[in-house]
Amino acid sequence: MTDDAELSDLLTLRLGYLVKHAYLGLAALMAQALEPYGVHPRELGVLSVIAADGAERSQNELASAVGMDRTTMVAVIDELESRGLVERRRSARDRRRNVVTLTDVGGTCLRDAERARAEAESAYLAPLDPDAARALTEALRVLYHAHADLRGGHPHPLPDAKEALRPAPGATANGSPAPAGPSAGS
Amino acid sequence: MTDDAELSDLLTLRLGYLVKHAYLGLAALMAQALEPYGVHPRELGVLSVIAADGAERSQNELASAVGMDRTTMVAVIDELESRGLVERRRSARDRRRNVVTLTDVGGTCLRDAERARAEAESAYLAPLDPDAARALTEALRVLYHAHADLRGGHPHPLPDAKEALRPAPGATANGSPAPAGPSAGS
DNA sequence: TATTGTTATACTCTATAACTATA
DNA sequence: TATAGTTATAGAGTATAACAATA
């Protein structure tokens, strides 16, 4: 029926195969790029969300914002806290909540790791001409929003900063940057 | 710094996040679409490779062709064989090799499941206009081939059909189809 | 000595259930 | 009663090491 050359490309015709290996390849590249900074891709995503938000978020809110389970978030925060990148403290208004804030070290780590992430993404997209790269990311973004149902509406929502306490008086005085380019998160 | 709306879209700017969720979403959709046929996406990929190849392949060759470990392939073939979709038999020329062939039932299952796969892919890409969908798949294909190093050269190769015995005289008399569209495999 | 299939094992990621302390 | 954090547990998916049969 088909010769070897065609057989070799057979799976390349499958969207699922391509998407899976795009994911695996980028994840591997990203993990490697972030290794010098001691953070895993999903940890960087969490740091970014903490830094980008003016309000002080609980673990629960962070979890749903990043699209991970709250039980998984416990381990992630444990790890980040043990490395001194974030701090956990009980909310005064609702003692059930753990408010997570970035430390100075965490802010520096975030900034450096974000740069590495952006570079890794650029390297990954390098084989494509700029138009193709833009078309790819835009298509992925459209599909992401169109297929929210496949995620069970998981990520995003993020409740309206009700308990917004502002970046906390003097507790978290660090110049945490607002990440710019696209990259690997959760 | 940023309000909630921007925060919600923060991760959407990350390529890794988008690719990961594209993978998860499509995988979920595909698993659901194939469920009526009793095959998992990766099993369908294996069935396709078996059917598309004129030569009779060993488990080892199938594994590397699909990009999975040979120990994983054992379990996959176990499962497919227990459902009567494929047959395993020792090669006469090299008694170490297990030659895997499709049964009639397997051929029928493959044909039906392939149709379901193509439909699921279409549904997944539906939010995009045809040009954008084409651009997406083409970009993924370029990246796949460009970043073979990130996979450790895993998939493809598939040795030159040395032990090709032809579709086996009367053993595997089924009208197995050659899959057409793009879809989910390994 | 190298290779194929196999088994057992382990590791990652993630989700579920249940407990506690608060509300 | 409901929610946040936590813990323990279990399930995918996959990779590594070792073994038997064969080359």
Side-chain angles (χ1 to χ4, degrees), chain B residues 161-180:
Chain B
K162 36 192 177 189
E163 130 128 3
L165 302 174
R166 264 0 61 84
T172 326
N174 61 319
S176 40

Side-chain angles (χ1 to χ4, degrees), chain B residues 39-50:
Chain B
V39 289
H40 292 276
R42 72 174 182 185
E43 294 174 334
L44 181 56
V46 172
L47 291 178
S48 297
V49 172
I50 296 174

